Amino acid sequence: MIVALDAMGGDFAPVETVKGAVLALDEIKSLEIILVGDEKLIKEELKKYSYDKKRIKIEHTTEFIKMKEESSPAMAVRKKKKASMNISLELVKEGKANASVSAGNTGALMSASLLKLKRIKGVLRPAITTIMPSKRGNIVLMDVGANANCKPEYLEQFAIMGSYYAKLFLKKDNPKIGLINIGEETGKGNELAVASYELLEKNKKINFVGNIEPRDIVDTDIDVAVTDGFTGNVILKTAEGVGSFITGILKDEIKKSFMAKLGAIFLKNVFKTLKSKMDSSEYGGAIFLGVDGISIKAHGNSNSTAIKNAIKVANFFAEANFIENLKENF
Amino acid sequence: MIVALDAMGGDFAPVETVKGAVLALDEIKSLEIILVGDEKLIKEELKKYSYDKKRIKIEHTTEFIKMKEESSPAMAVRKKKKASMNISLELVKEGKANASVSAGNTGALMSASLLKLKRIKGVLRPAITTIMPSKRGNIVLMDVGANANCKPEYLEQFAIMGSYYAKLFLKKDNPKIGLINIGEETGKGNELAVASYELLEKNKKINFVGNIEPRDIVDTDIDVAVTDGFTGNVILKTAEGVGSFITGILKDEIKKSFMAKLGAIFLKNVFKTLKSKMDSSEYGGAIFLGVDGISIKAHGNSNSTAIKNAIKVANFFAEANFIENLKENF
């Protein structure tokens, strides 16, 4: 498979993106990568490593979307036609790459993916997925930000797409679908939740098991939790905030005393486990579900390992012929 | 001041509620308490303590709202006319008590507060507040569940009520109001957020400072964050879930090794600090803003200290003549 990588996207590009590409080539022998970005900067980075030169190409462009653009992300995507993110996706559309990976601005990547790859026919709204850690395995949460305003029909489609995604990616036979709500009982929630519940319950394509409260995401047997992009984004960002609040207090308090510092040494492995359980970056980022091509979003602060994992995810979906199979549902 | 306490409300009633009442009498010498509930059970508990008998009365009733009612909470409130929660609020309405406190079912207490106390004239929708811990002090989040469906006008009123509440309770001169949103920039969010932003920005009664992302609640200089009851509840429950997820992993992992157990002993004070910073129960619970009387909700799992604190909060608002002052805004 050929993966196009936006070498200029992310907080640590191109240093970590290029390194991540080299790591991915090491792990997947059948992989080829097209690095999209400033040839001079990319070559500078590539010099640091030894790698199979036949399996890396560079697609040169000097434009790129900043992590914080002055104009809206959607506008930036349209103005900067030759941005690395845009070109990476065009390579997929033109069949020159099987998938695209970017750690760039999320809003821009969503816009660019829609603009360049278009929607799958029959899909009302593409959605952004994320993997949330949970005691009983990981779950897919979607939409986490593509559609601030949703209709019940969108959520129904999110469930269908999420179900197929979980089947393939989390290797679940008959993925359990839950609806994010503020109570477990039928009839709970706002107008959107109530109407979505009815549609989900009637749909025979999915295994809908009912409402799920955000409190229970961390300990559930549900595989996919669907919600509108506003609520999903709120969940994601609340979880991030609370996580960093707690680890921040721990760090600050440990610094304050010698005893605590000593204790922390004994707890090194515990803290390591905690970090790895809280961290979903091993999953290599999110997929945009519903666009007609594989577009993977790596976290903005991705290091080379996270980039490598995102490339592996892209390769995985390409090998599984994900888009063609997903299309059969619509 | 006279505080009516729903002695039967909460996971540990009447054991902890009665004990909490006695503790409160100890701390506030001018306080009187009416314990509402089963006289026999209450007297059984009161026997355990020495207290000023003139300052405690019992309002006998055998009915009470369960923490998990079979029918909806609103229905339970209407069916069980003599429920302790209902009577506690009636005492306020009749002027026999200055405030009511309950650790009972939140939905039921909201319904009962509305039913018994009615709305303040001019208030479109009362809201439930909560105090969220944050690095830079605590902030008020509202609505956290009373109104799943909101109009921009409701959020505008939440801001007015929250502002007055923060002024009094958090002792902030000119409380900063933020709107929960999925981006900091103007124009972000769903239809409700966009329309609410416009109203909040124009309102001269409040000090509106813009959008706040849920990630930043834990580290903000905003005093009051307003949102609809669906989103607020999602934030609250996500925070609870993530908090228990992290502390659960820590506990489980520490158990697994002798070294870690030893380390945990050295970190005892750190964990204590963490717990107290995550715990907002020292604030003694939430107020229902917008109903015509003081109704305080203590956490369902309140111990006697949390009940005592809730009673202190009730006393504080009663002494401040909160309702009459709030009315001047409408």
Side-chain angles (χ1 to χ4, degrees):
Chain A
M1 292 292 151
I2 304 169
V3 172
L5 175 66
D6 170 12
M8 314 308 283
D11 297 335
F12 309 116
V15 178
E16 297 292 322
T17 48
V18 171
K19 188 177 176 191
V22 173
L23 292 174
L25 288 180
D26 259 2
E27 284 198 22
I28 308 172
K29 297 302 171 194
S30 61
L31 181 68
E32 293 176 34
I33 291 176
I34 306 174
L35 293 169
V36 185
D38 191 316
E39 187 161 20
K40 207 181 140 215
L41 296 175
I42 291 171
K43 281 191 168 160
E44 203 70 35
E45 292 304 318
L46 279 172
K47 265 189 213 160
K48 299 178 185 168
Y49 313 102
S50 74
Y51 58 94
D52 183 351
K53 291 194 170 52
K54 282 170 292 185
R55 290 161 60 207
I56 281 201
K57 281 184 194 140
I58 298 171
E59 185 76 29
H60 175 68
T61 182
T62 52
E63 263 188 324
F64 65 96
I65 312 275
K66 291 183 211 160
M67 295 308 275
K68 297 207 170 189
E69 283 282 335
E70 284 105 65
S71 62
S72 79
M75 193 71 91
V77 163
R78 284 171 192 277
K79 276 201 300 197
K80 297 181 170 177
K81 290 199 195 313
K82 293 279 165 205
S84 52
M85 183 188 284
N86 279 333
I87 292 182
S88 187
L89 289 159
E90 276 167 14
L91 290 171
V92 176
K93 192 68 187 175
E94 292 161 2
K96 292 177 185 162
N98 302 99
S100 166
V101 171
S102 175
N105 181 307
T106 308
L109 188 59
M110 181 71 213
S111 298
S113 301
L114 246 173
L115 189 73
K116 301 297 175 188
L117 302 175
K118 312 291 181 206
R119 272 181 282 166
I120 287 176
K121 213 182 149 188
V123 169
L124 297 166
R125 290 288 186 282
I128 309 179
T129 62
T130 195
I131 303 279
M132 296 281 283
S134 171
K135 276 184 204 164
R136 291 184 259 172
N138 292 277
I139 80 162
V140 178
L141 176 68
M142 66 188 285
D143 176 21
V144 293
N147 311 281
N149 297 298
C150 279
K151 293 180 181 171
E153 292 76 21
Y154 303 174
L155 268 68
E156 188 183 16
Q157 288 198 340
F158 297 167
I160 294 168
M161 295 193 287
S163 183
Y164 184 67
Y165 173 68
K167 196 178 253 173
L168 199 72
F169 194 52
L170 300 182
K171 297 183 176 43
K172 301 281 178 175
D173 260 352
N174 189 21
K176 291 190 178 119
I177 312 292
L179 173 70
I180 294 288
N181 212 331
I182 59 172
E184 286 180 13
E185 313 84 354
T186 314
K188 270 278 177 178
N190 57 12
E191 284 163 12
L192 176 66
V194 172
S196 301
Y197 190 102
E198 285 174 22
L199 286 184
L200 291 167
E201 208 180 18
K202 277 190 288 189
N203 195 306
K204 299 274 178 258
K205 280 186 191 167
I206 51 165
N207 177 21
F208 179 60
V209 296
N211 290 324
I212 172 169
E213 290 197 77
R215 173 169 36 210
D216 298 326
I217 291 176
V218 295
D219 189 9
T220 180
D221 60 352
I222 279 174
D223 303 303
V224 182
V226 295
T227 188
D228 63 281
F230 188 89
T231 305
N233 199 272
V234 161
I235 291 174
L236 195 63
K237 286 180 179 160
T238 304
E240 276 181 30
V242 173
S244 79
F245 180 62
I246 295 176
T247 50
I249 293 173
L250 282 175
K251 274 182 198 160
D252 291 350
E253 292 299 319
I254 286 170
K255 268 188 222 147
K256 285 184 190 165
S257 94
F258 174 73
M259 283 281 274
K261 275 184 206 159
L262 194 66
I265 295 170
F266 288 158
L267 283 180
K268 211 176 147 191
N269 286 326
V270 171
F271 289 139
K272 226 184 199 168
T273 307
L274 176 66
K275 201 180 165 208
S276 86
K277 288 202 180 185
M278 281 170 67
D279 188 5
S280 53
S281 75
E282 57 182 299
Y283 280 89
I287 192 166
F288 288 109
L289 280 181
V291 292
D292 195 1
I294 298 166
S295 173
I296 304 290
K297 163 80 178 95
H299 205 287
N301 66 12
S302 288
N303 60 15
S304 57
T305 307
I307 295 288
K308 177 198 73 179
N309 287 332
I311 295 171
K312 283 169 75 177
V313 168
N315 183 68
F316 171 84
F317 280 109
E319 284 191 336
N321 204 12
F322 181 70
I323 299 294
E324 292 313 310
N325 287 318
L326 181 61
K327 277 181 183 173
E328 287 172 15
N329 290 287
F330 292 96
Chain B
M1 291 292 152
I2 304 170
V3 172
L5 175 67
D6 171 11
M8 315 307 283
D11 298 335
F12 309 117
V15 178
E16 297 293 321
T17 47
V18 172
K19 188 176 175 190
V22 173
L23 292 174
L25 287 181
D26 260 3
E27 283 199 20
I28 307 171
K29 297 304 173 196
S30 60
L31 181 68
E32 293 176 34
I33 291 177
I34 307 175
L35 294 168
V36 186
D38 191 318
E39 187 162 21
K40 210 181 135 213
L41 295 174
I42 291 171
K43 282 191 168 161
E44 203 68 37
E45 291 304 318
L46 279 173
K47 264 189 212 160
K48 300 177 185 168
Y49 313 102
S50 73
Y51 58 94
D52 183 351
K53 291 191 171 52
K54 281 170 292 184
R55 289 161 59 206
I56 280 201
K57 279 186 196 140
I58 298 173
E59 185 76 27
H60 176 68
T61 183
T62 52
E63 264 188 326
F64 66 95
I65 311 275
K66 290 182 211 161
M67 294 308 276
K68 295 208 170 186
E69 283 281 334
E70 284 105 64
S71 62
S72 78
M75 192 72 89
V77 163
R78 282 170 194 276
K79 276 202 301 200
K80 297 181 171 178
K81 290 199 196 313
K82 293 279 164 205
S84 52
M85 182 188 285
N86 278 332
I87 292 182
S88 187
L89 289 158
E90 277 167 13
L91 289 170
V92 175
K93 192 68 188 174
E94 292 161 2
K96 291 175 184 163
N98 302 99
S100 166
V101 171
S102 175
N105 181 308
T106 308
L109 188 60
M110 181 70 214
S111 298
S113 300
L114 247 174
L115 188 74
K116 300 298 175 188
L117 301 176
K118 312 291 180 205
R119 272 181 281 165
I120 288 176
K121 214 181 147 186
V123 170
L124 297 165
R125 291 287 186 283
I128 309 180
T129 63
T130 196
I131 303 279
M132 297 281 284
S134 172
K135 276 183 206 163
R136 291 184 259 172
N138 293 278
I139 81 161
V140 177
L141 176 68
M142 66 187 287
D143 175 23
V144 292
N147 312 280
N149 297 298
C150 278
K151 293 179 180 171
E153 292 76 20
Y154 303 175
L155 268 68
E156 188 183 16
Q157 288 198 340
F158 297 168
I160 295 168
M161 295 192 289
S163 183
Y164 184 65
Y165 173 68
K167 195 178 255 173
L168 200 70
F169 194 51
L170 300 182
K171 298 181 175 43
K172 301 280 179 176
D173 259 353
N174 188 21
K176 292 191 177 115
I177 311 290
L179 173 69
I180 294 288
N181 212 333
I182 59 172
E184 285 179 15
E185 313 83 354
T186 314
K188 270 277 177 179
N190 58 13
E191 285 164 11
L192 177 65
V194 172
S196 300
Y197 190 102
E198 285 174 22
L199 286 185
L200 290 167
E201 209 180 17
K202 276 189 289 189
N203 194 306
K204 299 275 178 257
K205 281 187 189 166
I206 52 166
N207 177 19
F208 179 61
V209 296
N211 291 323
I212 171 169
E213 290 196 78
R215 174 169 36 209
D216 298 325
I217 291 176
V218 297
D219 190 7
T220 181
D221 61 352
I222 279 175
D223 303 302
V224 182
V226 295
T227 187
D228 64 281
F230 188 89
T231 305
N233 199 274
V234 161
I235 291 173
L236 195 62
K237 287 181 178 160
T238 303
E240 278 181 30
V242 173
S244 80
F245 180 63
I246 295 176
T247 50
I249 292 173
L250 283 175
K251 274 183 196 159
D252 291 351
E253 293 299 317
I254 285 170
K255 268 188 220 145
K256 284 183 189 165
S257 95
F258 173 73
M259 281 282 274
K261 275 183 206 157
L262 194 65
I265 294 169
F266 288 158
L267 283 179
K268 214 176 144 191
N269 286 328
V270 171
F271 289 139
K272 229 184 200 167
T273 307
L274 176 65
K275 203 180 162 207
S276 85
K277 287 203 179 186
M278 282 170 68
D279 189 5
S280 52
S281 74
E282 59 181 299
Y283 281 88
I287 193 165
F288 289 109
L289 279 182
V291 292
D292 194 0
I294 298 165
S295 174
I296 303 290
K297 164 80 178 93
H299 205 287
N301 65 13
S302 288
N303 59 15
S304 56
T305 307
I307 296 289
K308 177 199 73 179
N309 286 333
I311 294 170
K312 283 169 74 177
V313 168
N315 183 69
F316 171 83
F317 281 108
E319 284 191 336
N321 203 12
F322 181 69
I323 299 294
E324 291 313 310
N325 287 321
L326 182 61
K327 278 181 183 172
E328 286 171 16
N329 289 288
F330 293 96

